[in-house]
C-alpha cells in the first residue's frame, strides 16, 4: 500500500517508474563502484577501487596479497569519459586513438545531469588520465568522440550541505 501511495504521488507530478538503470546512472555520476560491472575479471587496482581499502588496518584477510598487488605495475585501469548525448555506446565497444585500440567500454549511460553520455572505460596505461581525447568505435562501426574525465563527475547537493 505504501508503494502504491508513493507511485500515485509520483504520477501526480508527471513522474514515472525507474529501475536499476536509474540507480546505475546515479552511482556512476558520483563514481560509486558498480561492483557487478567494474569487478568482473579485474583486481582492485585495475578497477580503481583501492580507495575502499583501509591500508592502516593492522591485519585483515588478504592483506599480504593486496600489499603485493599494490607494488605491481598496473597495465590497465578504469577511467571515466563523456561523449555526445546522441551516441550509441555499449559494453565492450572499442576505445581507439588513431588506429590503436587502447581499451574497451565497461559501461555507458546517458546522464541527464551532464546532458551527455557518461561511461567508464578499461584502458591500457598510459591512457588512464583525465583530459585525453579518443574515440569509441561501437559495434556498428560508428566512431564517436569521447573525452576522459576525473571523478566525481557530478557533485551531489548532499556533499556540500553543512550537516550538524
Amino acid at each position: 500500500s505504501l508503494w502504491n501511495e508513493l507511485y500515485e504521488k509520483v504520477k501526480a507530478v508527471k513522474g514515472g517508474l525507474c529501475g536499476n538503470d536509474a540507480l546505475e546512472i546515479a552511482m556512476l555520476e558520483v563514481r560509486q563502484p558498480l561492483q557487478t560491472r567494474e569487478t568482473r575479471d579485474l583486481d582492485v587496482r585495475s578497477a580503481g577501487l583501492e580507495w575502499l581499502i583501509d591500508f592502516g588496518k593492522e591485519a585483515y584477510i588478504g592483506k599480504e596479497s593486496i600489499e603485493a598487488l599494490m607494488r605491481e605495475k598496473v597495465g590497465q585501469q578504469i577511467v571515466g569519459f563523456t561523449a555526445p548525448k546522441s551516441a550509441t555506446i555499449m559494453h565492450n565497444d572499442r576505445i581507439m586513438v588513431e588506429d590503436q585500440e587502447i581499451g574497451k567500454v565497461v559501461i555507458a549511460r546517458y546522464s541527464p545531469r551532464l546532458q551527455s553520455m557518461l561511461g567508464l572505460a578499461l584502458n591500457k596505461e598510459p591512457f588512464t588520465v583525465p583530459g585525453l581525447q579518443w574515440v569509441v568505435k561501437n559495434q556498428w562501426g560508428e566512431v564517436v568522440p569521447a573525452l576522459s574525465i576525473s571523478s566525481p563527475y557530478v557533485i551531489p547537493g548532499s556533499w556540500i550541505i553543512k550537516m550538524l
Side-chain angles (χ1 to χ4, degrees):
S1 64
L2 176 61
W3 186 93
N4 289 330
E5 183 180 338
L6 289 172
Y7 182 51
E8 290 304 317
K9 291 181 186 249
V10 167
K11 285 193 317 188
V13 294
K14 298 186 177 159
L17 294 175
C18 63
N20 232 20
D21 283 349
L23 177 61
E24 282 190 348
I25 292 165
M27 290 178 72
L28 184 60
E29 286 178 340
V30 298
R31 191 56 184 105
Q32 286 295 313
L34 298 163
Q35 281 89 357
T36 58
R37 304 207 183 257
E38 294 179 57
T39 57
R40 195 177 300 155
D41 302 322
L42 295 177
D43 60 58
V44 293
R45 291 241 359 247
S46 294
L49 301 176
E50 62 267 29
W51 62 274
L52 294 170
I53 299 170
D54 180 2
F55 291 100
K57 194 172 180 180
E58 268 187 50
Y60 53 89
I61 296 171
K63 181 176 183 172
E64 295 80 21
S65 297
I66 292 291
E67 288 174 343
L69 182 65
M70 296 305 289
R71 289 188 295 270
E72 292 178 14
K73 184 178 178 187
V74 177
Q76 60 183 4
Q77 198 165 22
I78 297 275
V79 63
F81 70 91
T82 58
K85 67 180 179 179
S86 60
T88 303
I89 302 173
M90 308 283 286
H91 174 71
N92 278 338
D93 284 348
R94 299 182 310 151
I95 307 293
M96 309 287 293
V97 169
E98 297 175 1
D99 291 332
Q100 179 184 2
E101 183 175 322
I102 62 164
K104 294 206 180 279
V105 173
V106 173
I107 184 173
R109 295 283 186 266
Y110 175 71
S111 166
R113 184 75 180 264
L114 297 176
Q115 297 287 299
S116 65
M117 291 297 289
L118 176 61
L120 299 175
L122 180 61
N123 282 2
K124 297 174 187 172
E125 289 291 350
F127 303 100
T128 60
V129 296
L132 300 178
Q133 293 184 336
W134 64 57
V135 297
V136 177
K137 191 167 187 180
N138 70 19
Q139 59 188 335
W140 299 278
E142 299 169 330
V143 175
V144 178
L147 176 69
S148 61
I149 58 175
S150 62
S151 63
Y153 316 116
V154 171
I155 298 183
S158 63
W159 287 10
I160 56 176
I161 296 172
K162 185 176 180 176
M163 305 297 277
L164 297 176

